[in-house]
Every structure is written in structure tokens, then in C-alpha cells.
Amino acid sequence: MMELKLSNPITLIDIEKYYKLYCLKSIKKLDWGYEGEIELLRLLKFSCFIVKKIDRIDIFDKNGKFKIYIEFSSDKIKISGQGDKLIVNSIINRIAKNIEKYGASIVKYVGVQYSRDNKTVLFKTVPDEILDLRGYSCPVPEIKTKQKLLKMEKGKVLEVLIDNPAAIEYTLPEVARLFNCRYEIYNMGDYASFVFIKLDNTRTYTNYTEVVEEVKENEIKELIKESDFRAFLYSYFDQIVEQRKAMQLQLEDIKYQGYTVISAAPIGRGWLFTALVNGDNIIAARLDVENNSFYNEDALKRLPIEGECNIFYLKHTERTD
């Protein structure tokens, strides 16, 4: 952690103007937050999400390698981080040097011009149900939203309150496509409102249910390649029985007593791992990384995956192993 004394440093929270202070090579504004890239020594590049709050900037690597927290008060800036120590310390030191070199002059000549986003929103569509997922990391937003949409009828509206940029930018639009929903996104300041309007109710998973309940392993290995089947797994295995946090996903993590779906992802959703297991027997596995997908043995060969991640273990509520 590092603290820097500076008069009225809140001016520097304008990420769109001063992103280079924070070692960001470029940024792209999203529906909520920003996407950017940090480059170290022209050798290491990290894709990141950036979240600007009322008095803080959070920068986190999509693949879970690090998190950087920059906190602003009336007379100082505090910079801290978690993750790979070498990377974290390097980024913190570079940010501190940039602020020491340029921060005072920016504040002096620009002045304090920061104000909080207006959070008043008039919805065109009134939700039938509200799902509050603020504070949750991937893959929970995907799991919970799919479970809720499966139970909703045609024409119903679901509002999801969410503060995870990866879910807003990638996961929830994918869920909307899979479940044939129109969606609207509203920036609420510290979080986003993601509104689903369900267009039809024709999606059924009768064949999937039979295959999973009868544990037809060969068919499951093929079905895991379908995004719809992965969506079904998160609805059929509807109870999260355990959650773990790890600094890497290892083969040893892909085991659990009884019939279980295992889902793992870093907070930035740089990758998503899904597996159906029965004890030590890994029935099927899938790894989605950016625009590539790997299945079964090919997915398992890519373990371990470095970076902080959340691992969830899910079971079917009515099933007894």
C-alpha cells in the first residue's frame, strides 16, 4: 500500500481524462465502467475492467492476476492491491510516480470539478421481478439470472441490479440471447440496472433433462459443446452447496462428492470453466476463453489456470446421491 499527500485529489478521479496516470494504455467506455489495457515493460499486457465510484477507482485484471484500488480523500490518495505481488507492486509504483510527477499540476490548473452521476431513471418497462446481484462475482450472475428466467413466462420483465462489469458487458447479453429476451441497460451510478423482457416461452429442455438424470455420459460429452446445454446445467443444478476462492484452478478442484456441476471464473470473466462430475469421475468439461472453447480432455489439459478465481459447486435440489 502507498499513500500520497495531495490537495483536493478528487479531480484525478476523472478516468476518461487521466487514465494514463493509472498506467492504462487506452480505455473504452462500457454501459457501466470501462475496459482498458495495462502494459508493463512493453512485454506484459493485461486486459482490465475499471470501475469508477464516488471516491475510488478499482482496476482488475480479467483473468484474476491482480486488483488495484485507488482511494481518494480530501488530502491524499491511497493505492493498494491484491494478487501477483510483482505485478501489483510494479503497477502501484508506476501509478505513484505518475501522480507525484503530474498530479499536483493537474489539480492546480483544472480545479475540483467532480460530481456524482445522476441516479434518477424513469423506466420505460416496469419489472415484474427484481434480482439484486450487487456484490456477486462470476459466475453467480449468470447462474442466478438463468434460473430466474427459466421460471418466468412470456412477456414478463426481470430487472437485475448488478455491479460486475464482466457480467454487464458479456455474460448478461449472452443470457438474453439464449433465452430470447430483449434487454435494456441503465447506468445507476454505482451499479447498473439490466432489464430483461422475455419475448417467448418456447425454450424447453426435456431431452437435456433425460440425458442428465440417466447420466448418459457419451451424450453429455457432446452436449457440453452447446451453450444451451450449459444454460440448462445452471438451471437443473440449482443449489450452490459450496463456494471456494483460489489463486488458480487446478485439476484437484474438479472433483466433488456425488453428482455435481462445478463452475469457475475470475471476477473479470476472462474465462469460464464448467464441468459435470460424479465424485472423481469427470463426465464432461468445457473451458471458454475469449473467442475459443475447449471441451472435455482438451479443456482439462489446460489446467491449472493461474489467477484468482471463484469456484462454485452446484447440485440439483431434489436429487439424492
Side-chain angles (χ1 to χ4, degrees):
M1 185 183 74
M2 188 172 292
E3 288 190 0
L4 303 172
K5 290 286 185 178
L6 193 65
S7 177
N8 293 324
I10 198 69
T11 297
L12 304 180
I13 206 169
D14 190 337
I15 193 72
E16 292 187 35
K17 287 185 179 180
Y18 308 121
Y19 63 88
K20 290 185 179 179
L21 280 179
Y22 308 113
C23 299
L24 292 160
K25 187 177 179 181
S26 61
I27 62 168
K28 173 187 173 184
K29 187 172 177 58
L30 308 175
D31 289 301
W32 188 80
Y34 300 85
E35 189 175 35
E37 183 179 81
I38 288 180
E39 183 178 271
L40 295 179
L41 303 175
R42 298 183 180 180
L43 297 174
L44 299 174
K45 294 183 179 181
F46 304 96
S47 294
C48 307
F49 282 117
I50 305 100
V51 179
K52 184 184 77 172
K53 300 190 177 182
I54 186 66
D55 57 359
R56 197 176 85 204
I57 294 173
D58 296 344
I59 303 173
F60 53 92
D61 173 53
K62 290 183 181 180
N63 292 305
K65 296 289 181 64
F66 62 83
K67 301 175 188 174
I68 303 294
Y69 308 104
I70 307 163
E71 300 174 73
F72 300 81
S73 61
S74 61
D75 62 347
K76 64 183 176 183
I77 297 176
K78 183 169 71 173
I79 312 169
S80 59
Q82 295 178 351
D84 185 296
K85 289 185 178 180
L86 186 61
I87 296 173
V88 168
N89 289 338
S90 178
I91 294 174
I92 288 176
N93 288 333
R94 284 186 59 191
I95 292 174
K97 288 180 180 178
N98 287 345
I99 292 174
E100 287 175 338
K101 187 173 182 179
Y102 303 109
S105 59
I106 291 174
V107 172
K108 179 179 178 181
Y109 291 108
V110 176
V112 180
Q113 300 177 352
Y114 177 76
S115 61
R116 191 183 178 96
D117 292 337
N118 187 346
K119 294 179 63 175
T120 303
V121 175
L122 298 177
F123 288 100
K124 296 179 181 178
T125 310
V126 178
D128 296 293
E129 294 191 52
I130 298 175
L131 185 61
D132 191 346
L133 297 178
R134 287 173 290 185
Y136 286 98
S137 300
C138 288
V140 172
E142 180 176 0
I143 295 169
K144 295 291 186 182
T145 303
K146 285 176 177 176
Q147 290 173 350
K148 182 66 72 172
L149 286 172
L150 272 171
K151 298 174 183 177
M152 296 183 70
E153 299 296 324
K154 175 184 177 181
K156 296 295 184 181
V157 178
L158 172 67
E159 180 186 7
V160 177
L161 309 181
I162 185 80
D163 58 3
N164 184 313
I168 298 164
E169 186 69 8
Y170 303 126
T171 306
L172 295 188
E174 178 184 310
V175 171
R177 179 186 61 78
L178 285 172
F179 286 83
N180 194 21
C181 296
R182 182 167 64 83
Y183 66 87
E184 302 163 357
I185 304 174
Y186 300 91
N187 188 330
M188 305 296 288
D190 284 349
Y191 65 96
S193 168
F194 200 108
V195 180
F196 292 86
I197 301 95
K198 196 164 185 181
L199 300 180
D200 66 35
N201 199 35
T202 59
R203 188 176 296 279
T204 60
Y205 295 112
T206 305
N207 294 336
Y208 290 164
T209 302
E210 179 183 335
V211 169
V212 169
E213 288 183 346
E214 296 182 13
V215 197
K216 298 180 179 179
E217 294 195 15
N218 290 335
E219 292 186 45
I220 291 171
K221 287 182 184 297
E222 289 302 311
L223 288 173
I224 198 70
K225 300 174 183 179
E226 300 180 10
S227 296
D228 283 10
F229 183 68
R230 189 182 64 187
F232 163 77
L233 289 177
Y234 288 149
S235 57
Y236 183 83
F237 292 83
D238 56 350
Q239 182 183 7
I240 298 174
V241 294
E242 186 176 347
Q243 174 184 357
R244 301 176 188 170
K245 190 179 291 290
M247 295 313 298
Q248 63 176 2
L249 180 67
Q250 305 179 72
L251 186 60
E252 290 74 16
D253 299 312
I254 317 302
K255 299 175 183 178
Y256 206 78
Q257 182 178 358
Y259 206 31
T260 309
V261 160
I262 301 173
S263 181
I267 188 172
R269 187 49 156 75
W271 52 267
L272 174 65
F273 189 94
T274 308
L276 179 59
V277 307
N278 193 354
D280 292 343
N281 179 26
I282 302 173
I283 298 169
R286 171 174 177 154
L287 173 63
D288 295 288
V289 184
E290 296 180 346
N291 297 320
N292 296 313
S293 296
F294 307 95
Y295 310 106
N296 302 313
E297 288 301 320
D298 283 343
L300 296 174
K301 286 178 182 176
R302 283 161 173 78
L303 300 179
I305 304 174
E306 298 292 335
E308 182 180 340
C309 62
N310 295 294
I311 310 170
F312 293 86
Y313 299 85
L314 301 95
K315 289 186 176 291
H316 180 52
T317 302
E318 300 176 1
R319 187 182 179 97
T320 57
D321 296 310

